[in-house]
Amino acid sequence: MIAKVIIDVSLDRDFDYLVPPELENVIRVGMAVVFRFGNSRRTGYVLALAESSSYPAEKLKALDSICTDRAHIPENLITLGKWMAEYYCCSQEQAIRTLLPAAVRSGKVRAKSRRIYYICDQEKARAFIEKNETVASAVQRAAVLKALQAGPLALEELRLTPDFSRSSLSTLMRNELVAVKEEIVRREPWGEGEVLPSAPLEPTEDQKKALLMVDEIIRPDSEKRVILLHGVTNSGKTEVYLQAIAKVIARGRSAIVLVPEISLTPQTVRRFRARFGDQLSVLHSRLSDGERFDEWNRINAGEVGIVVGARSALFAPLQNLGLIIVDEEHESTYKQSEAPRYMARDVAVMRGQLEKAGVILGSATPSAESMYNARNGKFILCTMSSQVANRPAPRMEVVDMRLLPAPEPGKSNIFSPALLEAVRQRVDCGEQCILFLNRRGYARVMHCDQCGFDACCPACSRSNHPIHYTYSRSRCTLSCHLCGTVIPAYEKCPDCGSPEIRYSGTGTEKLEAMARGVFSFARIARMDSDNMKSNEDYEDVLERFRRGEIDILIGTQMIAKGLHFPNVTLVGIINADQGLSMPDFRAPERTFQLITQVAGRAGRGDYPGEVILQTWQPDNDAIISAVNFDFEGFSEYDLEFRELLGFPPFSRLIAVHFRGEDEASVRRYGEEIVKELQPYVLEGTSISAPLPAPIERIKGKYRYVCTIKGTRLKVLRQALRILALHRTPPKGVEMYVDVDAQSIM
Ligand code: ADP
Ligand code: ZN
Ligand code: ZN
């Protein structure tokens, strides 16, 4: 028997070892094993077991042993890891790293134990206490024994008993009344506080319908495994998740719940904790290595049946997995930004298939990819269109910024009169406001302040679907990232002739300063990734907002998600078009999703909410659909646009990135790779020349990107993977591959 093993060094290959006869019956795929590698002894994992090797048997070394102090990887996860390595063009070792948290993989973290003292013989102890309780010379020993009668205690706990003395304890031990032993303790992960248990709610009609479909997908012989649960905010999706999990637990199976980011969804996590208590393990980024190690082992040992966490929780080593839930499935945070650049939503579907488990993808604004799969029958679509408690949707007011009088020189009309007045009224009444501006520093779009003109690529844009040129200051050019067109930058607006052209908008920091000027009577706080350095900062601001110590909260998409503040009655969307100017075909989708989400923050309490949306493009379809809460309309037209231009989900998109300090060699290597790939470019596939990325240079490194688009990319992907992993780029140049890229910035 041959074991193919992988070693924790960056080599994208496995090595063959003979399995000694005494291990043949115990060795399994996924086990950690010890073997000689070169001159040293190494630990690795068994990727596969085979009958024979392509190497001559006499050249093969035998495995030394199976590693007992390291966790083993379940076989299904190994299969998943191999698929990820192939599909996402990364090395097997990178994929295995993703499957096992560093704390578990390293073998350096150990289970934490403590010494506890216990009574050897209760009978003898009782007799001793009775006899000595009042005897002055033994009163301390009696006290120690009495404390231990309730159960074993650690030394630090024993010290708390009155009259404790170390000498009395050691006397008791010498007299064999008390003994000590090691006990494994579970480190208490990040404080959850007290949570009151919650019982299942009587399902609504919509929920009943959804739960019937769940019954369908969790049947082991089911043909379809994935439900796309499209439900407006407050339609009761979370309650469906909870009851669906209860179903699989009742069948003795386990469940994984993925949320976009744990710290941004504390309220959701608390609901899972309330329903499932100790059966739940929450994998949080703030777990220490030790806690992570403990949680992994608890899961691997089958002590917990439900795991909640961000992206990586997908790889929790649960046995007999029955259900995977991906909440807010449209979120781009499900894509990992370093290798392996996997999309957790897609890998969840894959793991579901491997484990014969059901998968629920839930969202109020599902991704185009998932809608496409629902349309073509790959996923089961379940729609929940009404809210549980019929709260009215917030009132939407659109302000057409083009109609405002031009600001006086040196002034700005970032706050429209309607918004100024509305904020003032809310603050006067003791209600709270959110001002949302999703300004990202690098969207260098050419914009005319006079007529609202944005520079767009005529070849790639369709009416209402602008694909913006990216402006490069150093080159004085505008370029299109989808087709590669480059033109000289305009000196004045080609539409109205105004020289007032700008290259970027106002960001939240400037917005905050301006808000402090016009709303001097209000208490204002800002929240974005620039000033929120830690989770504590974030929680601190949210807590002050919750307590009513802040009147106006200004922020980026960080404040758009899932927060529930009943006293917020007004949401101001400062520039709804902001995201539309990204050089990205997903820009309309993201804009629609963000407006929908941020609008959902208004009027969650007893008072109805209002949203004031400022826009330069009130005719834009994404904006119109969002204003009318029309997901179906938006989805239909977004898919149509993507089909027309052959974008995902109608094709696959791979971005190949090149970086380095010397621009010429970065470009040259890009060109070399593109040339190598040409023989694998089948009909219907396009491959662009390497172009400067929208963010051209970071930390002194030039960034080039080549985009590949097509429907039959398998062979090309294989060739690309080999080039990425096995060809050494020139010194100072790096290359990486992003399969199903969410962004090419
Ligand atoms: P979503 O996840 O779609 O936003 P939730 O599951 O959070 O929706 O439900 C919204 C609100 O309605 C919550 O406060 C929840 O407790 C309540 N709710 C959900 N389902 C029911 C039900 N069947 N009966 C009564 N209240 C419910
Ligand atoms: Zn173009
Ligand atoms: Zn103009």
Side-chain angles (χ1 to χ4, degrees), residues 18 92 95 108 122 150 238 333 350 395-396 404 429 433 468 497 517-518 529 540 558 561 588 602 633 640 663 674 740:
L18 286 170
Q92 307 235 27
K108 289 196 185 104
Q122 293 289 353
T238 309
T333 49
M350 197 62 179
R395 201 173 73 80
M396 283 271 195
L404 297 186
C429 299
C433 310
H468 289 80
V518 288
S529 42
D540 178 55
M558 215 177 212
K561 316 238 159 111
E640 210 167 275
E663 186 174 10
V674 169
D740 293 339

Side-chain angles (χ1 to χ4, degrees), residues 447-453 492-498 500-501:
H447 175 84
C448 171
D449 262 351
Q450 204 63 48
C451 70
F453 168 87
K492 50 190 191 223
C493 173
D495 258 23
C496 73
S498 161
E500 296 287 306
I501 42 184

Side-chain angles (χ1 to χ4, degrees), residues 502-559:
R502 278 190 301 134
Y503 291 101
S504 49
T506 303
T508 39
E509 198 174 339
K510 192 162 156 206
L511 184 70
E512 181 191 9
M514 293 197 294
R516 286 188 193 285
V518 288
F519 306 120
S520 51
F521 48 88
R523 295 159 299 172
I524 298 176
R526 171 169 66 98
M527 199 146 131
D528 55 35
S529 42
D530 288 339
N531 74 343
M532 297 289 110
K533 294 292 177 222
S534 67
N535 281 314
E536 284 74 24
D537 291 345
Y538 176 81
E539 270 156 32
D540 178 55
V541 173
L542 287 187
E543 192 46 43
R544 284 194 291 136
F545 195 49
R546 187 170 289 126
R547 284 202 302 259
E549 294 167 17
I550 295 168
D551 301 307
I552 305 175
L553 182 62
I554 293 176
T556 55
Q557 55 182 334
M558 215 177 212
I559 60 173

